[in-house]
Amino acid sequence: MLRLLPGFLVIVALFGGNARAASDLSAAEIARLSNMVRQDCGSCHGLTLKGGLGRPLTADQLAGMDREAVKDIILFGIDETPMPGWLGLLSEPEADWIAGALKTGTIQ
Amino acid sequence: MIRAGVSLVALVFLCVAAFATELRGTGDLGVVVERASGSVLIVDTSAHKRLTRVEGLGDISHASVVFSRDERYAFVFGRDGGLTKVDLLVARIVKRVVQAGNSIGGAISDDGELIAVSNYEPGGVRVFDAQSLDLVADIPAIHGDTNSGGSALSKVIGLVDVPGRRFVFTLWDAGETWIADFSGGDEPVLTKIGNVGTNPYDALVTANGRHYIAGLFGEDGLSHIDLWRAEPKAERILAGYGRGETRLPVYKMPHLEGWAEADGALFLPAIGRHELLVVDAKTFKEIGRIVVHGQPVFAIARPDGRQIWVNFALPHNDTVQVIDVPTRQIVQTLKPGPAVLHMEFAPRGHEVWLSVRDDNRLAVYDTMTFERVAEIAAQKPSGIFFTARAHRTGL
């Protein structure tokens, strides 16, 4: 449903009324996100995140990108590539947590 | 004389150690990939039991398996480039080589002598002796203008075996399909077919080894090659099946499997759509569509071709649907559990095994009654492979 709205509305709807931050995620949520990154992102990026059809997502490979940019790619994807936007499945704080955990190599 | 006596004792000892108390065949055995722990389960599909776990196979996320002709050995292709030969009878790794940095699958030649592995890094195919796992041939997937130094290696997908000691595979980055013909020995003769399309993501070959079909991520259509032609060439089929509509985000790439054919038609996952495409298996024209629950990942025909079983990408991956082939109607929707990754039929299709990854179990269903007949614990199971695959082309 969100997907059908113009981009700015999505951002307002998603971020405007959402006061949660990545640091508010519970241990159970973090475990679920870690499982998702390893198992589902891992279908393209590898269970160990060393790459596959998609590029590696190890901390050293992401060193040149800031956390915000990584989060945006997770939420909105990269045009003309198989990387989809995960906006329909992940919230902004969840994507932000994943971006941070990838950059620090701390996915469980 | 004494030497012969010692050998006999050794042989008897080995047999006892290997088979414990009874002899058995391997025709009802299978291998289940436990993707997160680098292990495989050896399962008995008649008894619905796991027999044992074999560990030490490395990173086997996205692993696949082929079997030796005698159905005794499983060859496991790991993500980390590992190629592992497992003896199913003694439940032991016989040999393991790490042959590349990043791999996606493999195949075994029709005579059972050659194992081919498709690699992302370094992009290409490496071929090994099935007995020793010694390297037989290295086929780098070089593409681009090699004269001007602009060449690069492509990731390789869609590797299958076809009759005549040949392998067929496709270059993701180059849109080329190559045939590697080993009929003359260990030096392959390569045939390169261009114009396959943009970003072919997976491919299948029909069970007779004739029709090779690649799915295209970068184009609205698929690519078909008739390998029986004297000069095979790639032709687009189902061009524009997405009707120019914006497709949904693709959270998981579909897989194309050799047993998509049933009752004169192929049932193929549409990319970015909640549909299966039904394609005439002779004319390769679209003859129908079936709206399904989510984006299909696997669409697999029961061995008799009466049913097609479909699983789905996130966020619909808790569901499996069954299509009745003659009526093309969905006759069953099952909710086996969170993250159903793979389905494998018993050799003649009376049962199907499903891996329910996020519930750490396998579920076995009767394909006539749709009743669940067994559940078996497994750690993050993904691919399920039964030994009957040994006698099928192109899996």
Side-chain angles (χ1 to χ4, degrees):
Chain A
M1 193 59 199
L2 283 177
R3 203 178 293 122
L4 303 175
L5 298 170
F8 72 93
L9 277 183
V10 173
I11 290 163
V12 171
L14 206 83
F15 305 157
N18 198 335
R20 291 193 81 202
S23 54
D24 295 335
L25 295 173
S26 70
E29 286 171 305
I30 286 170
R32 182 179 60 81
L33 291 175
S34 288
N35 183 63
M36 182 175 175
V37 171
R38 292 229 175 260
Q39 303 295 336
D40 295 308
C41 304
S43 347
C44 283
H45 297 284
L47 188 81
T48 56
L49 307 177
K50 289 179 186 162
L53 200 60
R55 57 173 284 177
L57 300 179
T58 47
D60 58 318
Q61 289 284 324
L62 294 177
M65 292 175 76
D66 64 30
R67 178 169 169 168
E68 194 70 15
V70 176
K71 184 189 79 180
D72 283 351
I73 290 174
I74 295 169
L75 287 174
F76 303 110
I78 305 175
D79 281 349
E80 308 292 313
T81 77
M83 177 63 188
W86 292 79
L87 187 57
L89 301 186
L90 290 171
S91 69
E92 190 267 348
E94 288 171 335
D96 186 43
W97 181 86
I98 292 170
L102 288 173
K103 279 190 64 66
T104 51
T106 50
I107 297 286
Q108 291 168 9
Chain B
M1 195 59 198
I2 289 170
R3 179 183 280 262
V6 169
S7 296
L8 188 64
V9 169
L11 189 67
V12 169
F13 175 77
L14 275 174
C15 288
V16 169
F19 298 104
T21 51
E22 58 181 307
L23 296 169
R24 69 159 300 151
T26 57
D28 60 355
L29 297 186
V31 171
V32 177
V33 173
E34 296 185 311
R35 68 199 306 267
S37 47
S39 52
V40 295
L41 296 178
I42 298 174
V43 294
D44 178 332
T45 62
S46 298
H48 303 136
K49 270 191 181 153
R50 41 187 268 196
L51 299 178
T52 186
R53 173 177 283 131
V54 179
E55 294 177 312
L57 285 87
D59 175 2
I60 49 173
S61 60
H62 208 291
S64 62
V65 178
V66 298
F67 295 94
S68 60
R69 288 184 61 207
D70 63 6
E71 298 187 2
R72 175 166 178 175
Y73 299 100
F75 299 88
V76 183
F77 307 100
R79 166 69 86 182
D80 57 2
L83 165 60
T84 311
K85 182 175 180 178
V86 177
D87 185 332
L88 301 179
L89 282 176
V90 298
R92 216 171 38 208
I93 292 173
V94 179
K95 184 92 193 257
R96 173 172 160 80
V97 294
V98 177
Q99 53 83 41
N102 199 315
S103 304
I104 197 62
I108 184 166
S109 58
D110 55 358
D111 61 2
E113 290 183 357
L114 301 173
I115 303 288
V117 193
S118 61
N119 293 321
Y120 283 168
E121 181 56 48
V125 169
R126 286 188 172 144
V127 178
F128 298 85
D129 181 285
Q131 287 287 333
S132 63
L133 299 193
D134 290 341
L135 185 68
V136 171
D138 185 14
I139 309 171
I142 299 167
H143 70 102
D145 184 354
T146 47
N147 292 323
S148 65
S151 66
L153 294 179
S154 170
K155 292 172 181 173
V156 170
I157 57 94
L159 169 67
V160 298
D161 55 283
V162 293
R165 235 168 113 94
R166 292 180 302 161
F167 297 105
V168 184
F169 51 90
T170 295
L171 281 57
W172 157 266
D173 300 290
E176 292 178 12
T177 293
W178 293 10
I179 304 168
D181 184 338
F182 287 86
S183 61
D186 291 348
E187 281 286 318
V189 175
L190 294 179
T191 304
K192 300 179 183 179
I193 302 162
N195 191 33
V196 167
T198 309
N199 289 152
Y201 63 86
D202 195 8
L204 65 84
V205 70
T206 49
N208 57 4
R210 175 172 182 175
H211 299 290
Y212 185 81
I213 295 172
L216 303 175
F217 188 84
E219 283 181 40
D220 198 3
L222 294 94
S223 185
H224 166 238
I225 298 170
D226 181 350
L227 296 168
W228 285 9
R229 287 173 65 139
E231 289 183 20
K233 61 175 189 165
E235 293 173 313
R236 291 294 186 288
I237 57 171
L238 277 67
Y241 73 76
R243 304 187 186 104
E245 295 165 16
T246 305
R247 66 180 173 211
L248 303 168
V250 178
Y251 295 121
K252 186 173 170 69
M253 284 284 190
H255 288 58
L256 299 179
E257 273 267 348
W259 28 40
E261 193 173 356
D263 198 26
L266 293 158
F267 294 75
L268 305 173
I271 198 157
R273 306 180 68 87
H274 292 191
E275 289 175 341
L276 282 187
L277 307 169
V278 188
V279 184
D280 185 288
K282 276 198 163 41
T283 64
F284 295 91
K285 304 265 189 248
E286 181 182 328
I287 52 174
R289 288 184 190 210
I290 300 167
V291 175
V292 289
H293 177 69
Q295 292 185 44
V297 175
F298 284 100
I300 306 178
R302 200 173 68 179
D304 66 342
R306 177 68 202 256
Q307 297 172 345
I308 305 287
W309 287 58
V310 190
N311 73 336
F312 302 99
L314 280 171
H316 301 109
N317 61 359
D318 62 341
T319 302
V320 168
Q321 288 189 310
V322 184
I323 291 154
D324 176 59
V325 167
T327 59
R328 294 192 202 145
Q329 298 293 313
I330 293 166
V331 291
Q332 191 67 224
T333 298
L334 301 168
K335 299 273 181 192
V340 179
L341 289 201
H342 198 221
M343 306 172 283
E344 179 85 339
F345 288 95
R348 287 199 269 166
H350 75 298
E351 290 174 348
V352 63
W353 287 47
L354 312 177
S355 50
V356 189
R357 184 194 69 202
D358 286 350
D359 225 3
N360 294 306
R361 62 183 162 83
L362 306 165
V364 185
Y365 286 81
D366 182 309
T367 64
M368 295 290 182
T369 64
F370 306 111
E371 295 295 318
R372 194 172 59 207
V373 293
E375 286 199 318
I376 296 134
Q379 294 169 12
K380 296 273 181 240
S382 58
I384 308 173
F385 304 89
F386 295 163
T387 52
R389 286 174 173 252
H391 306 294
R392 295 269 311 216
T393 292
L395 294 178

